[in-house]
């Protein structure tokens, strides 16, 4: 246990250093700020009821950028080690494949969450400086999004053992961005066929529900705080489903030839 | 206890529409503690496949590979092993110091002892002046030295090296040889594959020659003295014949 913690910390430190030293991160940051600034520029022309519009653009931008960043960061964790063969000196250490998997998930989760928090803070600062405020539900939005990032990292890392990096990124982005649409289609199908249809329930269980972790619209429209038990339930769902994904990845990686 | 035991090892790679390809085909050998053993064979003979199995990077298709009595797929077996891969590349976005810190921490080292060890190793491979330069700005030879330092982290009892001297300049090769000599004096067991037969001859106790995944010759280097012109000559003739030419001579006599 202590070993696993030490291994995870070592991998996270190195992973974070690498991400910070790459330039791709900064592009996303600048892009989000530009989008928010662009949206707020309308204010200069005196359009009414603009606050909601600017907020909507800002939170949509954060959401999209965070999802893309999360998928890209998680998808490269293990395949990149394989490609550049750094996996050899890594796995030459007395660590198990499960420990590497867990450490890489933690690295992706931590790095992506950090990116998200930085993005959200900068955007919030920008909104505040424009005189636009958010309600306390913003805190719940942050928390829930972080659960979602952890869950998404687990799925992407698991898929990286089965798909090429390009296929993984594509499929993961479709699943992440499409999850809202899938959920609505499923609900409609349930409506039509009844709630006890087995294949529909199976599909519902298997398909990812990433959109559950997005409260951005509620922030935009200044909702009151959601009941905390709802967040608890979603945290539980993220944990169970995320562990399920990691298990799926481990089952493949356990016996895979390295390199 | 033996440092390495390989018994009837088979490593097969799956192929489309063909039976699996046996890169290692019923290999058996042992390496005793404190021995220095050269693992020779032409390209494609199965050296890297054997070494990857010893490191637990792949599971044997059949047979067994043991390190200090432990199954090679067991992570604990690697606690006593230092490994230098054939193509050693290290994260371009880390410095040599950070690279060594990462591997040291993964090995279970930490704090002041780890820092002291990293500094001593960087000194030993003459990289102290580049300790805080990103790996992507280092030359190939310098990266190879990061690799050597990494392999020596944690005071391994067994060093496994795959084609170490490739990519090293003549000075680097000399330094590597000195380092290996130091390790030998400390009683470290060394198992390595190499194409540099002169180098092999200068430091090995024993050689193994594999061909098409099978062991075809095994000799103490001292046994070869006087019976062959040079290790290179012996190696080439044995590999070309596909069997040990010395045994043939014994049988003929
Ligand atoms: N991952 C792999 N998949 C299929 N064939 C492989 C793989 N790795 C090695 N081989 C084949 O196995 C044989 C032995 O390779 P290798 O162990 O790398 O030999 P050596 O290190 O002695 O040059 C070669 O013919 C090589 O093409
Ligand atoms: Mg090789």
């Amino acid at each position: 246990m202590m070993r696993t913690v030490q291994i995870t910390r070592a991998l996270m430190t190195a992973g974070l250093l690498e991400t910070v030293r790459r330039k791709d991160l900064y592009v996303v940051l600048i892009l989000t700020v530009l989008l928010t600034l662009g949206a707020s520029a309308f204010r200069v022309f005196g359009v009414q009821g603009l606050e909601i519009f600017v907020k909507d653009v800002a939170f949509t931008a954060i959401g999209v950028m965070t999802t893309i960043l999360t998928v890209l960061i998680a998808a490269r964790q293990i395949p990149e080690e394989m490609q550049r063969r750094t996996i050899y000196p890594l796995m030459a250490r007395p660590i198990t494949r499960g420990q590497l998997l867990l450490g890489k998930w933690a690295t992706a989760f931590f790095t992506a969450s950090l990116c998200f928090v930085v993005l959200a803070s900068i955007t919030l600062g920008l909104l505040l400086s424009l005189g636009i405020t958010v309600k306390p539900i913003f805190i719940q939005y942050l928390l829930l999004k972080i659960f979602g990032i952890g869950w998404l990292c687990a799925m992407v890392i698991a898929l990286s053992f089965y798909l090429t990096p390009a296929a993984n990124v594509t499929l993961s982005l479709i699943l992440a961005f499409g999850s809202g649409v899938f959920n609505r289609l499923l609900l409609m199908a349930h409506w039509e066929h009844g709630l006890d249809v087995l294949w529909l329930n199976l599909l519902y269980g298997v398909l990812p529900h990433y959109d559950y972790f997005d409260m951005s619209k509620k922030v935009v429209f200044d909702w009151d705080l959601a009941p905390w038990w709802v967040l608890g339930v979603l945290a539980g769902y993220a944990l169970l489903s995320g562990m399920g994904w990691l298990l799926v990845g481990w089952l493949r990686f356990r016996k895979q030839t390295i390199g | 206890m033996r440092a390495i035991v390989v018994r009837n090892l088979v490593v097969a790679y799956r192929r489309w529409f063909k039976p699996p390809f046996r890169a290692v085909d019923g290999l058996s050998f042992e390496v005793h503690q404190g021995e220095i053993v050269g693992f020779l064979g032409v390209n494609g003979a199965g050296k890297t496949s054997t070494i990857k199995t010893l490191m637990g990077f792949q599971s044997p298709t059949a047979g067994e590979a043991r390190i200090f009595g432990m199954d090679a797929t067991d992570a604990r077996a690697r606690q006593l092993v230092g490994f230098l891969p054939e193509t050693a590349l290290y994260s371009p976005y880390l410095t040599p110091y950070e690279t060594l810190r990462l591997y040291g921490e993964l090995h279970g080292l930490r704090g002041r002892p780890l820092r002291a060890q990293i500094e001593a190793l960087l000194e030993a491979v003459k990289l102290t002046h580049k300790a805080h330069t990103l790996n992507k700005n280092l030359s190939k030879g310098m990266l190879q030295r990061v690799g050597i330092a990494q392999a020596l982290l944690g005071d391994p009892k067994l060093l496994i090296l795959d084609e170490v001297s490739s990519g090293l300049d003549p000075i680097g090769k000399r330094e590597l040889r000195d380092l290996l000599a130091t390790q030998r004096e400390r009683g470290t067991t060394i198992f390595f594959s190499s194409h540099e037969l002169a180098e092999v001859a200068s430091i090995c106790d024993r050689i193994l020659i594999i061909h098409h995944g099978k062991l075809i010759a095994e000799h103490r280097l001292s046994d070869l003295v006087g019976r062959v012109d040079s290790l290179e000559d012996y190696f080439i003739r044995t590999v070309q014949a596909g069997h040990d030419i010395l045994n043939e001579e014994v049988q003929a006599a």
Side-chain angles (χ1 to χ4, degrees):
Chain A
M1 192 56 207
M2 277 310 292
R3 269 294 281 153
T4 305
V5 171
Q6 195 192 8
I7 291 166
T8 301
R9 213 190 45 196
L11 289 171
M12 271 168 62
T13 312
L16 196 65
L17 277 175
E18 282 198 47
T19 305
V20 169
R21 284 173 190 166
R22 289 171 186 253
K23 304 291 173 276
D24 45 359
L25 198 70
Y26 304 110
V27 177
V28 174
L29 267 179
I30 293 168
L31 220 61
T32 309
V33 171
L34 284 181
L35 272 173
T36 308
L37 277 177
S40 65
F42 285 99
R43 161 174 292 240
V44 181
F45 306 118
V47 182
Q48 293 298 313
L50 202 73
E51 291 204 354
I52 286 181
F53 169 70
V54 175
K55 259 178 138 166
D56 200 8
V57 170
F59 281 96
T60 306
I62 300 176
V64 170
M65 298 300 172
T66 302
T67 302
I68 293 177
L69 263 182
T70 304
V71 169
L72 290 179
I73 289 173
R76 74 165 181 241
Q77 289 302 324
I78 290 177
E80 192 175 72
E81 299 279 1
M82 299 251 195
Q83 268 164 23
R84 60 186 194 200
R85 295 164 194 265
T86 41
I87 191 92
Y88 292 139
L90 210 58
M91 286 312 291
R93 299 293 150 195
I95 65 177
T96 65
R97 306 231 175 152
Q99 284 168 330
L100 182 77
L101 185 66
L102 214 60
K104 285 298 191 178
W105 168 78
T107 306
F109 177 37
F110 185 68
T111 312
S113 300
L114 199 69
C115 290
F116 165 63
V117 171
V118 169
L119 260 177
S121 308
I122 292 180
T123 314
L124 181 66
L126 214 61
L127 288 177
L128 290 176
S129 76
L130 295 169
I132 302 172
T133 56
V134 294
K135 288 267 157 55
I137 196 174
F138 182 72
I139 300 293
Q140 288 188 333
Y141 159 79
L142 285 182
L143 267 178
L144 206 55
K145 196 81 181 170
I146 289 173
F147 298 161
I149 290 173
W151 175 87
L152 187 60
C153 286
M155 183 188 83
V156 176
I157 286 184
L159 289 177
S160 73
F161 295 109
Y162 296 87
L163 301 171
T164 63
N168 185 11
V169 168
T170 312
L171 181 65
S172 297
L173 286 177
I174 290 175
L175 286 177
F177 284 121
S179 66
V181 178
F182 298 148
N183 281 339
R184 254 163 274 153
L185 285 177
L186 276 174
L187 282 179
M188 272 162 64
H190 268 130
W191 190 263
E192 218 154 85
H193 300 284
L195 275 175
D196 53 351
V197 184
L198 183 67
W199 67 267
L200 274 178
N201 287 320
L202 277 180
L203 210 59
Y204 199 83
V206 170
L207 271 183
H209 305 289
Y210 182 57
D211 60 321
Y212 287 0
F213 300 100
D214 185 25
M215 289 179 104
S216 60
K217 285 286 183 277
K218 300 187 175 60
V219 180
V220 170
F221 291 105
D222 286 339
W223 284 36
D224 287 331
L225 283 176
W228 285 98
W229 65 263
V230 173
L231 269 83
V233 168
L234 283 169
Y237 167 71
L239 199 68
L240 283 180
S241 167
M243 285 190 333
W245 275 114
L246 288 183
L247 185 69
V248 166
W250 179 76
L251 283 175
R252 177 69 180 263
F253 187 41
R254 194 169 55 116
K255 292 281 171 200
Q256 207 174 29
T257 296
I258 287 178
Chain B
M1 192 193 298
R2 309 271 184 270
I4 298 178
V5 173
V6 169
R7 283 253 167 284
N8 304 320
L9 180 69
V10 176
V11 177
Y13 296 108
R14 256 176 270 154
R15 290 184 293 189
W16 292 102
F17 308 116
K18 283 189 195 168
F21 173 71
R22 293 181 161 220
V24 178
D25 194 2
L27 187 66
S28 300
F29 66 88
E30 292 183 356
V31 174
H32 299 251
Q33 285 192 42
E35 253 193 322
I36 304 202
V37 174
F39 191 41
L40 313 182
V42 293
N43 282 332
K47 304 181 296 294
T48 299
S49 298
T50 306
I51 287 176
K52 279 191 187 172
T53 311
L54 285 172
M55 293 306 301
F57 297 156
Q58 54 198 30
S59 303
T61 310
E64 59 175 357
R66 298 194 159 267
I67 304 274
F68 294 109
M70 280 173 276
D71 195 285
T73 52
D74 187 336
R76 285 168 301 176
R78 298 192 286 272
Q79 189 71 46
L80 300 170
V81 180
F83 174 62
L84 186 53
E86 185 172 4
T87 36
L89 293 166
Y90 300 92
S91 168
Y93 299 101
L94 296 179
T95 65
Y97 190 94
E98 289 159 354
T99 308
L100 294 179
R101 192 179 59 198
L102 168 64
Y103 294 138
E105 284 173 355
L106 292 182
H107 207 95
L109 303 165
R110 62 168 89 196
R112 196 191 294 274
L114 175 59
R115 281 199 298 274
Q117 217 181 106
I118 292 174
E119 275 154 26
L121 282 170
L122 285 171
E123 188 73 42
V125 297
K126 301 194 168 59
L127 269 183
T128 306
H129 65 299
K130 293 284 183 188
H132 301 290
T133 308
L134 290 186
N135 286 339
K136 63 175 178 170
N137 298 328
L138 298 184
S139 72
K140 200 177 166 201
M142 288 174 182
L143 277 179
Q144 192 79 0
R145 292 180 208 197
V146 176
I148 294 169
Q150 163 276 133
L152 295 176
L153 263 175
D155 286 323
K157 297 273 169 291
L158 167 65
L159 274 176
I160 298 183
L161 320 172
D162 197 1
E163 304 213 353
V164 269
S165 3
S166 56
L168 284 183
D169 56 25
I171 299 173
K173 280 182 192 168
R174 156 88 48 93
E175 284 167 4
L176 175 66
R177 200 177 319 149
D178 294 346
L179 268 171
L180 290 183
T182 316
Q183 287 299 314
R184 162 205 211 124
E185 275 154 32
R186 298 182 46 192
T188 311
T189 311
I190 305 177
F191 179 72
F192 72 109
S193 77
S194 176
H195 285 309
E196 307 273 332
L197 295 172
E199 191 174 299
V200 171
S202 73
I203 58 171
C204 277
D205 299 318
R206 198 152 61 92
I207 55 151
L208 308 172
I209 300 181
I210 72 164
H211 197 53
H212 295 312
K214 294 187 163 77
L215 191 72
I216 59 169
E218 178 173 10
H219 285 289
R220 299 196 64 75
L221 219 55
S222 52
D223 293 343
L224 292 178
V225 176
R227 296 171 73 190
V228 297
D229 295 339
S230 70
L231 181 59
E232 189 180 353
D233 180 61
Y234 166 68
F235 172 75
I236 292 174
R237 281 170 54 206
T238 294
V239 166
Q240 278 173 349
H243 59 260
D244 191 352
I245 54 160
L246 283 179
N247 274 340
E248 195 174 57
E249 282 165 16
V250 170
Q251 278 157 17

